[in-house]
Amino acid sequence: MTTSHSPAEPAIAQPAPVKRLLSLDTLRGFDMFWIMGGEEIFHALAKTTGWAWAIVVADQFSHPDWNGFRAYDLIFPLFMFMAGVSTPFSVGSRLDKGVDKTEIARKIISRGLVLVLLGIIYNNGLFTKAIHDMRFPSVLGRIGLAGMFAQLIYLYARPRTQYIWFAGLLLGYWALMMLVPVPGCGAGVLTMECNLASYIDRLVVPGHLYKTIHDPEGLFSTIPAIGNTLLGIFAGSFLQKQGKTGNQKALQLLGAGAVFVLLGWLWNFVFPINKNLWTSSFMLLTGGLSLLLLSVFYWIIDVKGIKRWTFFFTVIGMNSILIYLAGEFIDFGYAARFFFGGLLKLSSSEVVHEVGGALAFIAVEWAFLYILYKKKVFLRV
């Protein structure tokens, strides 16, 4: 892990800014905005006003208990998808320069393992704990492992074989989940207690699982998550191609996204959409929505050249992993109260206090990222 002082070429396999796609940086920043506190604005509005629309929106910024889908479920797979989109530009450019595949593979693997380690630190802190008290699965770990395998497939497999891998991972996971019996439960049971993914995680993952009997970032359910990064790789490779106009690319991405969304909803009837299990239908749905968002951002920013609004999100997108980690080690809430607490106390309105507090928190985080941006300091893994 290094801290870069130059915004030049992204590190190998790093989901970092791609200079030719401002839309990718902007979309990544838009995605991370909700993680760094954007959703709290609507939760605060719903809590303090009782407005029906605010309650509906706030509900979308929560996860369903088990089966189903809400907008908040898209944030994680969208980030993985964007890591894939950047791969043909970062890894592909090194291949074009004649860099040995073995060297690239080593960097891909080392980055994946570093993200796993950072995820363990994020979960458990820097202080040593007993193994049985630690949680090993993590968001960063899934990003690292899924990205690593997807990028190795991109590195060593021909495009046609990559598509076979994509279909095989989704169909294979479905077959295993539905056909392999779990002791004491039988086959095809998809409850938290009885599904195959949770059972395997309980057998092989050290430490404890997030929900004791299940972990939403478990090892086995990482298999279909590779598909999100692979789909991003397909989209990035498509955007690299010559011979099509920007309008044509945006329209075809939009159409592909709609098809994947439809396929995901259809598959839902036999393999329910479930983020906890990262079911194949969930992968297709989130992959399709990711394609839809990329097509819109790409058309507005890179094709039509409407860029002035992007700066706010680009500053976030340039240091996306850093701001995710920083929240565990920097008390942004304290800084927000220090700088804005007096101003908020001038009003007796609960709405001002709650919503203003959420906005102040985001403002402090963004200012922190802006300082790093101006100094050209970007976290590279």
Side-chain angles (χ1 to χ4, degrees):
M1 179 177 62
T2 61
T3 302
S4 170
H5 289 266
S6 170
E9 184 177 309
I12 286 293
Q14 157 72 1
V18 177
K19 294 173 70 174
R20 287 169 288 183
L21 285 179
L22 177 60
S23 55
L24 191 60
D25 283 333
T26 308
L27 182 55
R28 186 181 294 114
F30 174 78
D31 191 40
M32 290 304 299
F33 170 76
W34 304 108
I35 288 292
M36 60 185 272
E39 83 285 0
E40 288 299 327
I41 298 171
F42 295 99
H43 286 302
L45 276 172
K47 173 185 174 183
T48 56
T49 67
W51 294 338
W53 70 266
I55 293 172
V56 170
V57 174
D59 184 60
Q60 285 297 311
F61 286 105
S62 64
H63 297 299
D65 292 333
W66 194 241
N67 292 336
F69 178 82
R70 293 178 190 153
Y72 207 47
D73 296 334
L74 180 60
I75 292 174
F76 186 8
L78 176 59
F79 189 89
M80 298 173 66
F81 170 85
M82 289 184 287
V85 176
S86 69
T87 297
F89 296 89
S90 56
V91 177
S93 67
R94 301 303 285 263
L95 287 171
D96 292 340
K97 293 175 183 177
V99 179
D100 184 68
K101 284 187 177 182
T102 303
E103 178 184 342
I104 298 174
R106 280 199 300 266
K107 292 185 177 181
I108 289 173
I109 294 169
S110 65
R111 176 182 179 270
L113 296 179
V114 166
L115 283 171
V116 171
L117 178 61
L118 287 175
I120 295 171
I121 293 172
Y122 182 88
N123 285 344
N124 304 285
L126 294 170
F127 300 103
T128 304
K129 292 183 177 181
I131 293 293
H132 64 270
D133 291 329
M134 297 177 66
R135 180 187 173 216
F136 287 86
S138 66
V139 168
L140 289 177
R142 173 156 293 181
I143 291 170
L145 291 176
M148 179 181 74
F149 285 114
Q151 289 161 349
L152 288 174
I153 291 170
Y154 169 79
L155 183 64
Y156 287 108
R158 296 177 180 274
R160 182 178 177 181
T161 308
Q162 293 171 24
Y163 301 143
I164 294 173
W165 268 105
F166 178 79
L169 288 168
L170 299 185
L171 293 171
Y173 184 70
W174 178 37
L176 290 170
M177 292 289 284
M178 300 305 293
L179 299 177
V180 176
V182 174
C185 298
V189 181
L190 299 178
T191 63
M192 185 182 295
E193 297 81 4
C194 283
N195 72 84
L196 180 66
S198 298
Y199 174 72
I200 290 178
D201 286 343
R202 290 195 295 269
L203 288 179
V204 303
V205 176
H208 72 89
L209 304 181
Y210 183 67
K211 296 184 178 181
T212 306
I213 60 172
H214 167 77
D215 200 300
E217 282 79 53
L219 184 62
F220 192 73
S221 58
T222 299
I223 293 171
I226 298 169
N228 291 87
T229 306
L230 273 176
L231 187 61
I233 288 173
F234 301 156
S237 299
F238 175 73
L239 289 174
Q240 268 191 327
K241 288 182 178 179
Q242 304 297 318
K244 293 182 182 293
T245 67
N247 283 320
Q248 289 173 328
K249 290 178 179 179
L251 186 60
Q252 290 186 33
L253 285 175
L254 190 73
V259 169
F260 276 103
V261 168
L262 177 60
L263 290 174
W265 280 115
L266 290 174
W267 207 343
N268 171 63
F269 289 106
V270 292
F271 197 23
I273 291 169
N274 186 305
K275 179 183 180 294
N276 275 275
L277 297 176
W278 212 282
T279 53
S280 304
S281 55
F282 175 80
M283 186 272 121
L284 288 182
L285 173 63
T286 56
L289 292 172
S290 298
L291 282 167
L292 292 175
L293 283 171
L294 177 63
S295 68
V296 172
F297 275 66
Y298 173 73
W299 183 77
I300 292 173
I301 298 168
D302 293 314
V303 178
K304 304 305 291 184
I306 305 173
K307 302 177 180 179
R308 294 183 63 180
W309 63 278
T310 64
F311 183 71
F312 175 83
F313 294 114
T314 300
V315 168
I316 301 171
M318 295 280 277
N319 261 319
S320 52
I321 292 180
L322 184 143
I323 194 58
Y324 179 80
L325 290 169
E328 285 295 299
F329 303 100
I330 300 175
D331 192 345
F332 291 111
Y334 175 83
R337 291 189 296 273
F338 178 82
F339 288 109
F340 298 100
L343 182 62
L344 294 176
K345 288 179 181 178
L346 294 176
S347 173
S348 60
S349 169
E350 186 184 6
V351 177
V352 172
H353 288 169
E354 294 289 337
V355 177
L359 292 172
F361 186 85
I362 294 169
V364 169
E365 287 183 301
W366 192 87
F368 168 72
L369 292 174
Y370 177 71
I371 292 170
L372 296 179
Y373 176 86
K374 292 297 289 184
K375 291 182 177 295
K376 298 181 179 179
V377 176
F378 307 107
L379 181 67
R380 298 287 185 265
V381 177

